[in-house]
């Protein structure tokens, strides 16, 4: 007997062609769709490599951290950096190595969304709708391409963990418990907000009688043990380097000096605002398409309803945890991108939720909209650099770091230590000074060895004086104040600008 969802998928592809759908129907073949996505991300790599040799904030952090192997580098766990080291070893320390890793991970997110929905609902068309819906999340379609690193890998592992959860439930095979444990451990050493996702889906599954046995199975202890073994080295590193592990804790804006009611209200407002900003484009598109759409008389697989319940309960549990953090820890700082690893499965849940309202015409609209978004991103991504001068925008990728590194290079001998006032500057100079150690002040204790020469470098475009963070570093390590005559300045014109200059200051300590 034929499964109802398979019948629905067959009818969707074989029904009389709706007006205007013929041009996009070819993408409803999964092989064609993923060839298109591979080509799209390949073009993103090409655009990124050709438009600028500079790197943005998250990318520059990877360039800096890849200079030394460590079980930790700061407030973000080290797995992405370890993967980046592998890519640098193959493709060289370059924008190409950075862009290739990022776009392969992004493609993996689309692939994992597709196979996860196929496992949940067994309908090709619903899986395609979910895959296309990822483009309706700005943090995935735009921000991840622009600069994110750890969040992309964490999102990929969140989907991989969900897929392993579903596989464990489907087959209850020991191998999937092992993979689940490894995925969970890898997620914990990628980004710490992944832990919320892990707790959420575990508690969400426990809350459902149909799914509870797979959590209470003794083999889940094996998965937990593997997870802890993978996480242990980073956990021990954090205990030894608490200052670095808590380096960016201020971004949560924990406020103990203002009244409880005011802080709580602000925290809840910022939390809701970040979640809504992340979700609202996808929700609006789905409301537009499916709010008044008549439901087809199909019976979805029983498992898909359980899986949907698990996801929605997981998000409610995570929401409750975050509210508790606001209320009891007085946190007020939340950003949209922090929710990418937690809400990356939202397109999958949305597509499965409306599966009996998905028609050929609506899938055609979704396909056309997704193609439009892909085209717009491919145009706007380089366009923001080309038009930076006209729009009076400060774009790090237009700064002439490569030219300035070439000017500084004769001054800095091989094997020297270069301290920069920001990670952004350190990462960009490192690309142009591959034979020296270039770091920001906070990583000195972690990375400094026995360099024979030391230089301080800072952004002197607006102020020639040595920045406070470098003065503090001098005092900490016992160096005397440098006189103004010992400083040297280098400048170059911004890329895609006619005359705007970027300037660096350099001083040698020893």
């Amino acid at each position: 007997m034929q499964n109802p969802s398979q019948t629905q998928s067959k009818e969707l592809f074989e029904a009389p062609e709706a007006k205007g759908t013929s041009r996009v129907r070819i993408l409803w073949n999964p092989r064609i769709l993923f060839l298109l996505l591979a080509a799209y991300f390949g073009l993103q790599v090409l655009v990124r490599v050709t438009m600028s040799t500079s790197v943005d904030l998250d990318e520059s952090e990877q360039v800096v951290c890849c200079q030394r192997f460590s079980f930790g580098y700061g407030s973000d766990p080290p797995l992405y950096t370890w993967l980046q080291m592998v890519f640098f070893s193959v493709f060289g320390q370059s924008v190409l190595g950075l862009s290739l890793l990022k776009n392969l991970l992004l493609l993996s997110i689309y692939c994992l969304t597709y196979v996860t929905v196929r496992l949940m609902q067994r309908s090709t068309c619903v899986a395609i709708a979910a895959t296309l819906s990822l483009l309706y999340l700005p943090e995935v379609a735009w921000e991840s391409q622009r600069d994110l690193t750890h969040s992309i890998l964490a999102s990929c592992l969140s989907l991989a963990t969900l897929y392993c959860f579903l596989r464990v439930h489907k087959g209850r095979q020991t191998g999937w418990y092992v993979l689940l444990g490894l995925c969970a451990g890898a997620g914990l050493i990628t980004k710490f907000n992944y832990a919320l996702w892990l707790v959420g889906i575990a508690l969400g599954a426990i809350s459902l009688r149909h799914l509870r046995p797979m959590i209470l199975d003794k083999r889940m202890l094996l998965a937990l043990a593997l997870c802890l073994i993978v996480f242990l080295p980073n956990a021990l590193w954090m205990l030894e380097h608490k200052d670095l592990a808590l380096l960016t804790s201020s971004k949560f804006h924990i406020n103990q000096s203002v009244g409880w009611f005011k802080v709580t209200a602000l925290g809840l407002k910022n939390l809701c605002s970040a979640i809504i900003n992340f979700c609202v484009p996808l929700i609006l598109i789905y409301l537009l398409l499916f709010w008044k759409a008549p439901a087809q008389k199909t019976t979805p697989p029983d498992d898909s309803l359980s899986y949907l319940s698990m996801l929605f309960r997981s998000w409610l549990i995570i929401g409750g945890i975050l509210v508790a953090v606001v209320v009891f820890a007085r946190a007020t700082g939340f950003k949209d991108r922090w929710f990418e690893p937690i809400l990356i499965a939202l397109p999958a849940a949305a597509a499965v939720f409306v599966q009996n309202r998905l028609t050929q015409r609506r899938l055609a609209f979704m396909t056309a909209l997704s193609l439009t978004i892909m085209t717009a991103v491919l145009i706007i991504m380089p366009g923001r650099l080309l038009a930076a001068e006209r729009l009076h925008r400060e774009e790090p990728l237009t700064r002439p770091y490569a030219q300035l590194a070439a000017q500084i290079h004769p001054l800095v001998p091989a094997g020297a230590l270069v301290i920069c006032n920001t990670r952004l500057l350190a990462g960009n100079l490192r690309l142009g000074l591959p034979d020296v150690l270039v770091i920001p002040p906070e990583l000195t204790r972690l990375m400094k060895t026995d360099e024979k020469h030391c230089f301080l470098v800072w952004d002197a475009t607006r102020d020639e004086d040595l920045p406070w963070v470098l003065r503090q570093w001098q005092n900490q390590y016992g160096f005397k104040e440098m006189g103004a005559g010992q400083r040297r300045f280098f400048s170059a014109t911004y890329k895609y600008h006619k005359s705007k200059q970027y300037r660096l200051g350099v001083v040698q300590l020893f």
Side-chain angles (χ1 to χ4, degrees), residues 25-310:
R25 286 189 68 188
I26 190 173
L27 298 181
W28 300 346
N29 181 324
R31 291 183 180 180
I32 301 297
L33 173 62
F34 284 102
L35 282 174
L36 173 68
L37 288 171
Y40 169 71
F41 289 115
L43 283 173
Q44 289 286 11
V45 172
L46 181 62
V47 168
R48 179 66 184 85
V49 170
T50 55
M51 290 303 298
S52 177
T53 56
S54 300
V55 291
D56 218 321
L57 184 60
D58 283 7
E59 294 174 329
S60 63
E61 182 179 48
Q62 293 308 309
V63 176
V64 169
C65 293
C66 282
Q67 295 175 96
R68 295 282 194 276
F69 178 84
S70 175
F71 286 112
Y73 297 94
S75 54
D76 284 318
L79 183 57
Y80 194 99
T81 302
W82 295 345
L83 291 177
Q84 192 63 73
M85 286 179 176
V86 174
F87 273 71
F88 279 167
S89 68
V90 177
F91 301 101
Q93 186 172 269
S94 62
V95 172
L96 175 62
L98 289 162
S99 189
L100 272 176
L101 174 57
K102 174 185 291 188
N103 282 279
L104 283 173
L105 289 173
L106 286 171
L107 179 59
S108 298
I109 287 174
Y110 286 76
C111 294
L112 284 166
T113 297
Y114 177 85
V115 297
T116 299
V117 175
R118 286 284 288 151
L119 200 59
M120 292 174 69
Q121 218 274 334
R122 299 193 298 274
S123 170
T124 300
C125 57
V126 176
I128 289 173
T131 305
L132 294 173
S133 297
L134 285 165
L135 289 158
Y136 308 155
L137 297 175
E139 295 297 323
V140 178
W142 174 263
E143 197 64 21
S144 291
Q145 190 62 247
R146 188 189 68 82
D147 190 37
L148 298 185
T149 52
H150 297 281
S151 293
I152 299 172
L153 180 56
S155 299
C156 189
L157 288 168
S158 292
L159 288 170
T161 303
L162 176 60
Y163 182 79
C164 289
F165 251 89
L166 302 186
R167 279 292 187 182
V168 164
H169 177 255
K170 291 282 188 182
R172 301 292 288 275
Q173 297 174 349
T174 303
W176 285 110
Y177 279 98
V178 170
L179 286 175
L180 176 61
L182 294 175
C183 278
L188 290 177
I189 60 171
T190 296
K191 202 164 180 68
F192 291 127
N193 53 359
Y194 167 87
L196 287 173
W197 171 249
L198 190 61
V199 170
I201 58 173
L203 294 180
I206 288 176
S207 70
L208 292 164
R209 185 179 63 179
H210 187 53
L211 302 179
R212 193 175 302 140
M214 74 172 185
I215 300 293
L216 301 180
D217 191 298
K218 62 183 180 181
R219 287 172 292 183
M220 192 59 76
L221 293 175
L222 172 62
L224 179 60
L226 290 171
C227 172
L228 294 177
I229 289 171
V230 173
F231 176 60
L232 183 61
N234 180 238
L236 295 175
W237 180 91
M238 287 190 293
L239 289 175
E240 187 179 350
H241 302 83
K242 293 178 182 178
D243 54 335
L244 286 175
L246 298 174
L247 188 63
T248 59
S249 59
S250 59
K251 65 185 178 183
F252 294 105
H253 300 160
I254 296 174
N255 196 327
Q256 301 289 347
S257 60
V258 182
W260 177 86
F261 181 81
K262 185 176 181 180
V263 169
T264 301
L266 177 61
L268 292 176
K269 171 182 171 294
N270 291 342
L271 173 62
C272 293
S273 177
I275 294 173
I276 291 170
N277 289 341
F278 185 93
C279 300
V280 71
L282 181 142
I283 292 173
L284 289 177
I285 291 169
Y286 267 70
L287 286 175
L288 174 67
L289 281 174
F290 300 106
W291 179 254
K292 294 185 178 181
Q296 301 176 32
K297 293 182 179 180
T298 59
T299 304
D302 292 337
D303 286 347
S304 70
L305 299 178
S306 297
Y307 298 152
L308 270 183
S309 296
M310 182 189 74

Side-chain angles (χ1 to χ4, degrees), residues 1-15 118 121-125 296-299 301 355 358:
M1 184 174 177
Q2 205 168 21
N3 185 285
S5 64
Q6 292 173 331
T7 303
Q8 177 193 352
S9 178
K10 183 177 179 181
E11 288 174 353
L12 182 61
F13 285 99
E14 295 183 359
R118 286 284 288 151
Q121 218 274 334
R122 299 193 298 274
S123 170
T124 300
C125 57
Q296 301 176 32
K297 293 182 179 180
T298 59
T299 304
Q355 55 85 25
L358 184 63

Side-chain angles (χ1 to χ4, degrees), residues 354-379:
V354 303
Q355 55 85 25
N356 62 343
R357 288 177 166 82
L358 184 63
T359 63
Q360 189 183 62
R361 186 184 296 275
R362 292 186 179 89
L363 185 57
F365 179 86
M366 295 176 73
T367 306
L369 178 59
S370 299
L371 288 172
T372 302
I373 293 171
M374 292 165 70
T375 303
V377 172
L378 276 172
I379 293 172

